[in-house]
């Protein structure tokens, strides 16, 4: 599955990115994929290629581009418990500086770029994300209700802002939604509160805790990786994209 390195024009500069897509000369539905807080790296390329193999053009931007091109810090090949605190400490200033205003400004640029690619078809797009990228995915979908038909977030802090913020966020969603939560991130009661907010907003969704999971369960280069849970994530994501972007 081919990949290529790209530069996405934004109001604040150039966001480095990569894309994976089928090498068949055809146009395919576009999917914007947001990385986790550790950023774009080999495991994200692997996941983008896997998704592209199912017939999608997958664009993965470095959403911390204002701080420089990826990799922004010297990431170890394996992010285990002994190095995680130091890595997170380096990333936290960038995470805190990535305000809602910047998220939405970038989302406009990313979607404009994605839909302009010659390999991307003219229909609606999907957005997916991991960790903080899951939150970015939902906010992107809410800001582009006429364009984003599917959104998925995995081990993302979607419920972190409280009921009032959730109501405002979900009330703008027209996309179909899947949220896959880590067991360590979400209590059953918090899940019920989140799902009540989705129900109240009339969102078409599935939202569930993946059993036996830690935060980051999709990422094969971390000690949170859970192969069964990552397969479950594909089992949820692929049908969602198929029914909204291919058969919708």
């Amino acid at each position: 599955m081919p990949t290529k390195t790209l530069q996405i024009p934004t109001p604040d500069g150039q966001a480095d990115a990569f894309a994976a897509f089928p090498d068949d000369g055809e146009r395919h539905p576009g999917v914007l994929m947001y990385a986790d807080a550790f950023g774009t790296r080999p495991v994200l390329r692997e996941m983008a290629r896997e998704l592209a193999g199912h017939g999608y053009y997958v664009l993965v931007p470095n959403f911390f581009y204002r701080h420089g091109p990826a990799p922004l810090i010297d990431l170890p090949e394996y992010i285990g418990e002994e190095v995680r605190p130091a890595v997170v400490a380096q990333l936290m200033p960038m995470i805190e500086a990535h305000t809602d205003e910047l998220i939405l400004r970038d989302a406009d640029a990313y979607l404009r770029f994605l839909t302009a690619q010659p390999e991307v078809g003219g229909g609606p797009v999907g957005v997916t994300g991991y960790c903080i990228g899951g939150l970015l995915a939902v906010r992107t979908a809410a800001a582009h209700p006429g364009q984003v038909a599917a959104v998925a977030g995995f081990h993302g802090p979607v419920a972190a802002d409280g009921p009032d913020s959730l109501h405002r966020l979900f009330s703008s969603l027209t996309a179909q939604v899947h949220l896959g939560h880590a067991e360590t991130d979400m209590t059953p009661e918090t899940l019920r509160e989140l799902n009540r907010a989705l129900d109240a907003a009339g969102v078409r969704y599935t939202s569930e805790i993946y059993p036996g999971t830690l935060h980051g369960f999709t990422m094969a280069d971390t000690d949170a990786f859970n192969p069964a849970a990552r397969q479950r994530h594909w089992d949820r994501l692929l049908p969602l994209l198929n029914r909204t972007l291919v058969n919708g």
Side-chain angles (χ1 to χ4, degrees), residues 14 91 106 153 156 165 181 189 198 212 218 221 225 243:
Q14 298 281 322
L91 293 169
D106 288 344
S165 294
H181 312 286
E189 177 54 33
L198 287 161
T218 57
D221 61 352
F225 180 55
R243 67 177 176 265

Side-chain angles (χ1 to χ4, degrees), residues 111 124-127 137 140-151 173-176 245:
L111 291 178
V125 302
V127 187
T140 297
H144 296 269
Q147 188 172 22
V148 178
V151 60
L173 278 174
T174 59
Q176 293 188 38
L245 306 187

Side-chain angles (χ1 to χ4, degrees), residues 15 37 42 58-59 66 93-94 112 134 153 155 170 179 211 215 225:
V58 185
L59 177 67
R66 292 175 182 84
M94 289 181 275
R112 190 179 309 114
H155 46 85
F170 294 157
L179 301 175
H215 180 77
F225 180 55

Side-chain angles (χ1 to χ4, degrees), residues 138-239:
V138 174
R139 289 181 174 166
T140 297
H144 296 269
Q147 188 172 22
V148 178
V151 60
F154 301 93
H155 46 85
V158 177
D161 292 340
D164 291 341
S165 294
L166 286 178
H167 176 74
R168 288 192 297 271
L169 179 63
F170 294 157
S171 64
S172 300
L173 278 174
T174 59
Q176 293 188 38
V177 175
H178 175 71
L179 301 175
H181 312 286
E183 195 170 72
T184 54
D185 288 344
M186 183 81 66
T187 67
E189 177 54 33
T190 305
L191 178 65
R192 284 191 290 270
E193 291 176 0
L194 175 66
N195 292 351
R196 279 196 293 267
L198 287 161
D199 287 332
V203 177
R204 293 166 294 171
Y205 75 94
T206 55
S207 173
E208 60 184 338
I209 295 171
Y210 287 20
T213 52
L214 304 173
H215 180 77
F217 58 78
T218 57
M219 296 296 151
D221 61 352
T222 77
D223 56 0
F225 180 55
N226 182 316
R230 181 154 82 166
Q231 184 57 51
R232 186 185 185 108
H233 129 280
W234 289 124
D235 292 343
R236 300 296 191 266
L237 177 60
L238 292 172

Side-chain angles (χ1 to χ4, degrees), residues 16 37-40 62-75 90-91 94:
D16 52 301
F38 298 134
T40 54
N62 166 27
F63 52 81
F64 290 145
Y65 68 90
R66 292 175 182 84
H67 304 274
L72 289 164
I73 64 172
D74 186 17
L75 277 177
Q90 288 180 273
L91 293 169
M94 289 181 275

